[in-house]
Amino acid sequence: MNRFVAIIIFLAIAAEAPCEIILDVVYPRFGDDGALPVIDQVDSSFVFGSVDPPGCIVLVNGLEAKVYPNGAFMAFVPLDYESMSYSVYARSHTDDAMIVVPFTFPEPVAADTLDYTLPVTLEVTHPHAVIRYSEDYGVYYMFPVEGAICFADRIDDNFFGIRLNEAERVWIEDKFVEVRPDLPLPSVSRVYSLYVDDFDSEVQLVIPVMKRPLHRVIELTDPPRLRVILYGFESHIDVIRNRTSYIREVRWEQLNPETLALTLFLDSPRNWGYYAEIDSNGYFIFKVRKPPPTSLEHLRIAIDPGHGGTDFGAIGPTRLNEKEINLIIAEKLARILNRKGTAVFLTRTTDEFVELYDRMDKAYKWGADLFISIHNNAVSDGVNPFERRGVGVYYYHPNSLELARAVYKRLLDKTELPDDGLYYGNLAVPRTTTMPSILVEAAYIIHPEDEMLLRNEKFKKRIAIAIYKGIKDFIKTTQRETDNW
Ligand SMILES: [Zn+2]
């Protein structure tokens, strides 16, 4: 691939200018290695940065950008497909400056087509594998346990088509599995009994069959229950030994000759998390967390400042870094919670890079009851950034909706930012099943007005207080639910 060097042209009329214009284009952004900015192939997209002195007029591809009192500017303009660049021009009474920012489009990735004799046995070898409903990057559908065995009878580029039963086929990318021609194709196994055992903070459902099945969990409410769908099982269940009071009842249902569904009725108004694994015997174990004591003094809360280290997150028009702001807000929230007696775990306390899944794994090992990820937002290429500002909160599993709603309401109320919305969102961090988990996008750091607010210490404190109050509201709700249970 050709890599151009940025063409930066300053047309300063230095002789006459009492002060030069300083023009900084922040987005589109060059790669760390100087690679051309890559933007999606869209009709119009945005350009932002800052200019000093702030009174300048800024034109992007000849169209006037909006310049804010602090010198931040932003424009949403059609892409020039001929020049494949943006020209950003700033003018004061005495001076002018221009920067040309070339860009390129993402290169289409030619996927390898897998070459295996079908059907073939697969082992899931990734701890955070994803199974999709359809090939070619369909929606996330199942999250198999590491070590699960299944077989593929279709191939589409780099996806294996997995046969679940006569009616259902799902798809997994080859990076999550190892092909195991040495293993026989998995067949349907009989289940004669089930055990549910009690432990300090969780209960465990055991299927005492040496099988590493694919499974799918559906969380249901009214009454609260977890429905675990298991593929490749035939029920001969005559005995269910339940030694817990937290699982009130286990019901089984054979959905079709190859698919067994187990429904666990919880003795709690809400589900506090679950986790499946295959134990050393090769048995499928489904762990359900018991409710924690719901008071600020007893809850353990993980706070996750998004990004860090080489991952800057979004960068604002005046180069405010998301990773720094996230950490400051997280620390403020941690201090507030600590003062109330809440044990807090921060997934990072310095400007370091932490893998996404490590954040949840560490929080789970620490014994966190809630997970709050803190971010500040940006829009994707092609989206008009003038139309997106303010508070957004994301959840994925139903057991996180109430927490998301409580934090969202308080953020809207306390920060008086515009309402970006409460979202179901397929994001890695909220996808964790081990505890209620939400992701807060406090404000749009790429929007000049939001960025200006985020520079203010008092404003960041207001965000932290709002999140704290949202957590408190959620705890109150759970206490009320428990009292009425
Ligand atoms: Zn972020």
Side-chain angles (χ1 to χ4, degrees):
M1 189 184 80
N2 284 330
R3 285 204 172 137
F4 302 93
V5 176
I7 310 160
I8 299 174
I9 311 164
F10 287 95
L11 299 172
I13 311 163
E16 288 172 340
C19 58
E20 278 183 17
I21 290 177
I22 301 166
L23 180 58
D24 181 26
V25 179
V26 175
Y27 192 90
R29 216 197 302 183
F30 281 88
D32 293 336
D33 53 355
L36 276 193
V38 178
I39 63 173
D40 292 336
Q41 207 161 337
V42 289
D43 293 337
S44 293
S45 200
F46 52 89
V47 174
F48 62 76
S50 66
V51 65
D52 188 47
C56 288
I57 287 168
V58 176
L59 302 175
V60 178
N61 289 0
L63 298 167
E64 195 166 341
K66 183 160 182 190
V67 183
Y68 291 79
N70 65 346
F73 69 85
M74 189 158 70
F76 185 64
V77 294
L79 260 62
D80 185 344
Y81 274 66
E82 251 169 55
S83 71
M84 290 291 280
S85 65
Y86 287 110
S87 69
V88 184
Y89 174 73
R91 189 180 71 221
S92 68
H93 294 302
T94 52
D95 197 7
D96 64 359
M98 187 161 92
I99 296 180
V100 176
V101 183
F103 58 80
T104 183
F105 295 134
E107 291 204 10
V109 185
D112 304 334
T113 296
L114 302 170
D115 184 18
Y116 293 99
T117 309
L118 298 175
V120 69
T121 303
L122 306 175
E123 178 179 351
V124 175
T125 49
H126 194 286
H128 301 285
V130 171
I131 290 182
R132 296 170 187 263
Y133 187 74
S134 50
E135 70 270 47
D136 198 20
Y137 301 98
V139 75
Y140 284 14
Y141 190 61
M142 290 158 60
F143 306 98
V145 292
E146 190 177 3
I149 303 286
C150 55
F151 74 93
D153 62 354
R154 297 275 173 87
I155 278 173
D156 185 78
D157 290 340
N158 58 330
F159 280 83
F160 287 106
I162 298 168
R163 185 187 181 286
L164 295 177
N165 53 45
E166 231 172 65
E168 293 178 272
R169 179 172 288 96
V170 289
W171 297 82
I172 193 163
E173 224 178 323
D174 65 333
K175 67 179 179 188
F176 295 128
V177 294
E178 195 178 310
V179 176
R180 297 292 304 267
D182 54 312
L183 294 181
L185 291 181
S187 56
V188 176
S189 306
R190 292 179 170 188
V191 188
Y192 293 93
S193 58
L194 301 172
Y195 303 112
V196 190
D197 291 321
D198 197 47
F199 294 89
D200 279 350
S201 57
E202 64 185 28
V203 298
Q204 296 186 0
L205 167 85
V206 182
I207 302 175
V209 180
M210 276 182 46
K211 183 171 181 84
R212 301 156 166 265
L214 291 181
H215 79 289
R216 171 167 145 79
V217 182
I218 302 167
E219 189 188 329
L220 300 162
T221 45
D222 299 326
R225 57 211 191 279
L226 295 167
R227 192 167 156 84
V228 188
I229 298 170
L230 293 142
Y231 297 93
F233 279 120
E234 179 186 288
S235 175
H236 288 246
I237 299 170
D238 290 323
V239 173
I240 299 175
R241 189 195 68 195
N242 183 1
R243 286 182 166 160
T244 77
S245 56
Y246 184 53
I247 304 295
R248 278 148 71 121
E249 191 189 346
V250 181
R251 286 185 201 166
W252 67 264
E253 190 185 347
Q254 191 72 39
L255 301 180
N256 59 54
E258 294 161 86
T259 313
L260 174 67
L262 303 177
T263 304
L264 282 62
F265 289 74
L266 309 182
D267 188 19
S268 158
R270 57 178 54 246
N271 148 43
W272 284 86
Y274 57 86
Y275 185 73
E277 65 180 28
I278 290 162
D279 76 356
S280 51
N281 296 315
Y283 295 170
F284 181 85
I285 313 276
F286 189 69
K287 301 177 174 182
V288 184
R289 290 184 74 172
K290 290 182 187 171
T294 46
S295 68
L296 276 175
E297 299 78 48
H298 295 103
L299 268 185
R300 295 167 71 80
I301 298 181
I303 303 171
D304 172 45
H307 312 283
T310 50
D311 172 12
F312 280 66
I315 300 176
T318 62
R319 296 204 177 266
L320 188 65
N321 290 330
E322 190 199 337
K323 61 174 185 175
E324 283 169 29
I325 298 303
N326 296 344
L327 182 56
I328 295 169
I329 296 170
E331 283 170 339
K332 286 184 191 298
L333 175 59
R335 272 198 294 278
I336 298 169
L337 285 166
N338 281 153
R339 276 204 296 273
K340 305 291 172 185
T342 312
V344 172
F345 173 77
L346 282 161
T347 57
R348 68 177 175 95
T349 53
T350 59
D351 182 18
E352 60 170 333
F353 178 78
V354 186
E355 290 280 358
L356 270 186
Y357 290 112
D358 285 351
R359 295 168 189 252
M360 284 97 75
D361 291 349
K362 281 184 192 162
Y364 177 62
K365 281 198 191 104
W366 177 77
D369 302 309
L370 299 176
F371 193 98
I372 316 278
S373 189
I374 293 170
H375 286 251
N376 282 281
N377 221 341
V379 297
S380 316
D381 293 332
V383 176
N384 186 343
F386 292 104
E387 291 171 1
R388 297 294 290 272
R389 263 198 73 193
V391 173
V393 179
Y394 294 75
Y395 76 99
Y396 186 75
H397 297 288
N399 71 340
S400 307
L401 172 58
E402 202 57 48
L403 175 62
R405 199 196 310 275
V407 169
Y408 163 73
K409 274 190 183 165
R410 287 289 187 171
L411 275 167
L412 279 184
D413 192 47
K414 197 100 191 120
T415 63
E416 291 171 6
L417 280 169
D419 177 2
D420 187 47
L422 174 64
Y423 294 91
Y424 162 87
N426 180 18
L427 301 168
V429 168
R431 264 201 318 269
T432 186
T433 62
T434 53
M435 67 195 94
S437 166
I438 62 168
L439 188 145
V440 174
E441 296 279 7
Y444 275 80
I445 195 167
I446 67 156
H447 193 291
E449 287 173 53
D450 282 13
E451 188 201 32
M452 248 185 289
L453 288 168
L454 287 171
R455 282 199 180 276
N456 181 310
E457 283 312 304
K458 278 193 185 139
F459 188 78
K460 285 183 286 239
K461 191 163 180 196
R462 254 156 65 192
I463 292 172
I465 292 171
I467 298 171
Y468 158 70
K469 294 218 164 181
I471 295 169
K472 216 167 98 177
D473 292 345
F474 169 71
I475 293 170
K476 272 195 196 138
T477 304
T478 64
Q479 285 167 345
R480 252 198 318 274
E481 287 170 348
T482 311
D483 291 345
N484 297 330
W485 181 247

